[in-house]
Amino acid sequence: MQQIMKQAQKMQQQVAQAQAELAEAEVTGTAGGGLVTVVVTGLGEFKSVKIDPKAVDPEDVETLEDLVLAAIHNGSEAVRELTEQKMGPATGGLGGLSLPGF
């Protein structure tokens, strides 16, 4: 039982360290070959949106909306990948934990 408690405490420390690293990390999501760029923290907080003036066409707002949405999705995917990278070792792969009977 003591061994399990030590392992749990070590895992908790690793998770805390990974969360701290995620809080400091920033990733970028882009769309349209860089016409729209978003910056996201490792915790999923969107920090900024940059739109190249070439993407702004008053006659075609829908395309710009699609580009912004695609950049957000791209940034969110980058955060997910970073989270798996940082948290995977800390949780021993428990992110996809499958418990029998559940």
Side-chain angles (χ1 to χ4, degrees):
M1 184 64 152
Q2 187 176 8
Q3 182 65 21
I4 292 173
M5 293 301 290
K6 284 183 181 181
Q7 287 176 335
Q9 185 177 23
K10 181 179 179 183
M11 185 188 310
Q12 185 179 16
Q13 290 169 345
Q14 290 173 331
V15 167
Q17 175 65 32
Q19 287 174 329
E21 290 175 12
L22 287 170
E24 293 179 13
E26 289 186 350
V27 297
T28 301
T30 62
L35 289 175
V36 177
T37 303
V38 296
V39 176
V40 190
T41 70
L43 296 178
E45 177 185 335
F46 287 86
K47 301 290 281 185
S48 67
V49 176
K50 301 286 184 206
I51 299 173
D52 187 308
K54 290 182 257 181
V56 180
D57 178 357
E59 302 295 319
D60 186 14
V61 174
E62 287 182 14
T63 296
L64 179 56
E65 292 169 341
D66 290 342
L67 288 173
V68 171
L69 188 58
I72 289 170
H73 285 287
N74 186 258
S76 295
E77 178 64 18
V79 168
R80 186 193 62 75
E81 290 173 6
L82 180 64
T83 300
E84 284 181 9
Q85 177 187 355
K86 296 288 185 186
M87 296 297 280
T91 61
L94 294 178
L97 181 63
S98 176
L99 298 175
F102 289 90

